[in-house]
Amino acid sequence: MSTTNELKNRIEGIGDIRKITKAMYLIASRKLSKAKADMDRTRPYYEALKNEIHRIFRVDAMIESPYFYPPGSAGVLHGPCGFLVITADKGLSGAYNQNVIKETLRVMEEHSGDEHRLFVVGEYGRRYFSLHGYEIEKSFLYTAQNPTMDRAREIASTLLNQYDEGKIVRLYVIYTDMTGPVEEQTRCQRLMPFHRADFGAVEGEREVKEPFEFIPSLGDVLHSIIPSYLAGFIYSALTDSFCSEQNARMLAMDSASSNADDLISRLTVEYNHERQGTITRQITEMSSGVRAIRRKKEE
């Protein structure tokens, strides 16, 4: 049985850990609120670009672009596949990182016959794939903390260059999406080449009967929009993943704090029981000594 000093030290140690988990919960909550606000401010821009691409296809559904499947085609392409994997820089966020890695391995298994090129955001993912023998693009080192539009543009530019040079023929993004206030889901989204069906009618779009004039040409406008659209999607994926990471960390830290409270309660009961037992033994020993002295005097 543990002594009272050992129990007291354990209770104090767990109390210190509880302070840390509660502080991490508050920090994650603050980061989540800020990231959500940033995402809400930039999402209209991303949706506007998607609407403009839809408008271009509405004017000419047969327009060709190297970034889209040919009209009426969604054939299987064979060749190097690019995987943009978004993880966190550290753990302590439940199964957040493991879910992303599992989804990445699943998608890579589906394309086992093709060459793989990994572009990993987040130190956790880079460390995992490096330790397991996967080759990662060494020049692609980005932190998962505090995503910005400038960083998303840099990532999009790198991926577009790889696509234009033929180093990848398909691009997949594996990230975590915030599907609700406290819900998240790991997703694998295929980007390039895009399907024309991905750019359908936008809800609330007003019908415009007058034709649009595109300068210098319809194809040039579409070609110039793609980098911005890709950067917007990547920024959305980075921000969604960052929000999901902070949400997962909040849940993990809240669970750890609750477990600490339960453990402290159990140890406190055990401590009080042990202390009461010690006091009882001391009183019994004192009473026995008094009785022994009394009997000795009577004799």
Side-chain angles (χ1 to χ4, degrees):
M1 181 178 292
S2 301
T3 64
T4 54
N5 287 335
E6 291 175 346
L7 290 171
K8 185 177 181 181
N9 291 335
R10 288 184 64 188
I11 292 172
E12 291 177 352
I14 295 172
D16 292 339
I17 294 175
R18 181 178 58 181
K19 292 178 183 178
I20 296 173
T21 57
K22 287 187 174 182
M24 292 183 67
Y25 175 91
L26 295 175
I27 293 172
S29 176
R30 174 59 181 166
K31 288 183 177 180
L32 176 61
S33 299
K34 183 178 181 299
K36 280 186 174 180
D38 292 340
M39 184 170 59
D40 291 339
R41 285 194 295 267
T42 57
R43 194 178 293 276
Y45 169 75
Y46 168 73
E47 294 297 335
L49 287 176
K50 188 174 183 179
N51 186 29
E52 291 306 313
I53 295 175
H54 163 65
R55 184 172 296 165
I56 290 174
F57 285 126
R58 190 176 59 186
V59 173
D60 184 1
M62 305 303 291
I63 186 173
E64 295 186 357
S65 170
Y67 302 121
F68 288 84
Y69 281 104
S73 173
V76 178
L77 298 177
H78 293 287
C81 294
F83 299 95
L84 174 61
V85 184
I86 303 175
T87 65
D89 288 327
K90 57 185 178 181
L92 299 177
S93 54
Y96 168 79
N97 289 300
Q98 287 300 319
N99 288 339
V100 175
I101 290 172
K102 287 179 182 178
E103 180 65 14
T104 303
L105 295 177
R106 183 192 67 79
V107 178
M108 292 174 65
E109 181 64 25
E110 289 183 354
H111 302 84
S112 58
D114 298 317
E115 179 186 349
H116 299 155
R117 298 180 71 87
L118 276 174
F119 305 88
V120 184
V121 175
E123 185 59 31
Y124 190 100
R126 286 194 292 269
R127 185 168 61 250
Y128 175 89
F129 288 112
S130 296
L131 289 175
H132 289 79
Y134 292 91
E135 184 178 354
I136 301 175
E137 293 298 310
K138 301 299 182 183
S139 61
F140 200 78
L141 301 177
Y142 293 92
T143 176
Q145 296 295 312
N146 303 319
T148 63
M149 195 64 192
D150 289 338
R151 189 179 300 158
R153 290 192 181 99
E154 292 177 6
I155 296 174
S157 177
T158 300
L159 296 174
L160 275 174
N161 289 337
Q162 295 265 334
Y163 185 84
D164 292 337
E165 294 172 3
K167 294 181 179 179
I168 58 175
V169 298
R170 284 169 296 171
L171 174 63
Y172 296 86
V173 180
I174 297 94
Y175 68 105
T176 309
D177 186 20
M178 285 283 292
T179 57
V182 293
E183 298 176 354
E184 55 194 48
Q185 181 180 357
T186 305
R187 296 186 183 277
C188 175
Q189 178 68 41
R190 182 195 47 73
L191 291 182
M192 297 182 295
F194 296 102
H195 281 309
R196 296 164 190 264
D198 296 337
F199 300 89
V202 179
E203 184 178 355
E205 179 188 7
R206 293 182 300 174
E207 182 180 357
V208 180
K209 297 182 179 179
E210 294 296 327
F212 284 91
E213 182 180 0
F214 294 87
I215 300 175
S217 68
L218 200 63
D220 290 335
V221 172
L222 178 60
H223 191 81
S224 65
I225 288 179
I226 292 302
S228 296
Y229 176 79
L230 184 62
F233 184 93
I234 291 175
Y235 177 75
S236 177
L238 289 171
T239 308
D240 270 330
S241 295
F242 184 69
C243 289
S244 299
E245 176 196 347
Q246 302 309 318
N247 182 65
R249 183 163 291 116
M250 286 173 58
L251 295 176
M253 293 302 103
D254 183 61
S255 177
S257 298
S258 298
N259 291 336
D261 289 335
D262 294 339
L263 188 54
I264 288 175
S265 297
R266 292 198 299 270
L267 289 175
T268 300
V269 171
E270 185 178 348
Y271 171 78
N272 291 335
H273 185 271
E274 181 65 23
R275 186 180 63 174
Q276 186 62 45
T278 301
I279 294 174
T280 302
R281 287 193 299 272
Q282 291 174 349
I283 293 175
T284 301
E285 290 172 359
M286 292 175 60
S287 300
S288 300
V290 170
R291 285 197 298 270
I293 294 172
R294 186 177 298 167
R295 283 197 301 272
K296 188 175 182 179
K297 285 183 178 180
E298 291 177 352
E299 292 176 355

